[in-house]
Amino acid sequence: MELILNQVTKQYPGTVAVDRISADLRPGVIGLLGSNGAGKTTLMRMICGIIKPTSGTIRFRYDNDTLNVSEEMYRDALGYLPQDFGYYPDFTGRKFLMYMAALKGIDKRTAKRKCEELLKTVSLEKAANKKIKSYSGGMKQRLGIAQAVLNDPKILILDEPTAGLDPQERVRFRNLIAELGKDAIVIFSTHIVSDVEHVADRIIMMKDGVVIFDGKGTDIREDLESFYLRSFEGKENE
């Protein structure tokens, strides 16, 4: 199973948001690291098919024989948690997951089983019948993860999922992401080094729309923090 990016570019009038990015992504956790404005969200939205590349290709190889899967097969393989995902505040967690399962075309019996399994996986079983508007930020993010994996995606896209979480929630979230990466290609974007330092099998660092590092976290771990600060000096407040 591979997600193949070839010279993927997104250009807007007067700026290039993503500039000729190529990568061969396989199952595991890929940490997409970069400051705000680095191009992370644009790249992820192209992978999800929300926006189209100006040039370049994104292909998914499901098995050894199939490179060009249909758009429907590709959509079915995707799970996506945007930075600000939408929810109905007066829905309970359980009702929201059942609603999302219906939108994804999952039959009611399977949906009920999956929802109960996922509520336990994300530690929300005790809050399943409470309204989402009463949830903490971390609980909402965990619910977001649950809805993203209802269809057992082969490609899971998580855009800044730890933003605004307290340290304890961050650890819980990183552990959950590591578990999901055992059976899927998980692309997890963040601007925080510690979020990917220990959980990512591979780190791709972006700056100004281009990749400036692509490798294992162990390759740069000893000097990762200073490397990051040097690379993104002056970009954090953009």
Side-chain angles (χ1 to χ4, degrees), residues 6 17 29 33-35 50-51 69 71 94 116 138 150-151 163 169:
N6 183 29
V29 178
L33 182 64
S35 63
I50 298 170
I51 57 176
V69 301
E71 288 188 14
R94 178 177 282 113
E116 295 308 311
L150 273 167
N151 58 325
E169 284 285 3

Side-chain angles (χ1 to χ4, degrees), residues 45-144:
R45 287 168 66 86
M46 285 192 288
I47 292 172
C48 290
I50 298 170
I51 57 176
K52 292 184 177 180
T54 304
S55 61
T57 59
I58 299 171
R59 295 180 176 181
F60 179 49
R61 187 193 297 273
Y62 186 73
D63 54 38
N64 291 331
D65 301 318
T66 307
L67 178 58
N68 293 314
V69 301
S70 67
E71 288 188 14
E72 183 178 358
M73 287 177 64
Y74 185 65
R75 286 196 301 271
D76 288 345
L78 281 171
Y80 179 44
L81 176 62
Q83 192 167 353
D84 297 304
F85 86 97
Y87 60 88
Y88 295 97
D90 287 321
F91 275 25
T92 65
R94 178 177 282 113
K95 183 177 180 181
F96 177 74
L97 288 183
M98 287 296 293
Y99 171 73
M100 293 302 296
L103 291 182
K104 292 173 186 278
I106 302 172
D107 68 85
K108 192 171 182 179
R109 182 175 180 179
T110 302
K112 187 174 181 179
R113 175 181 57 80
K114 286 288 298 181
C115 289
E116 295 308 311
E117 288 176 357
L118 287 169
L119 285 166
K120 291 181 180 179
T121 298
V122 299
S123 302
L124 285 176
E125 65 269 35
K126 292 182 180 179
N129 292 321
K130 294 182 179 179
K131 292 185 177 181
I132 300 174
K133 64 184 178 183
S134 70
Y135 284 12
S136 67
M139 293 168 73
K140 289 173 184 174
Q141 288 294 78
R142 282 184 270 139
L143 184 65

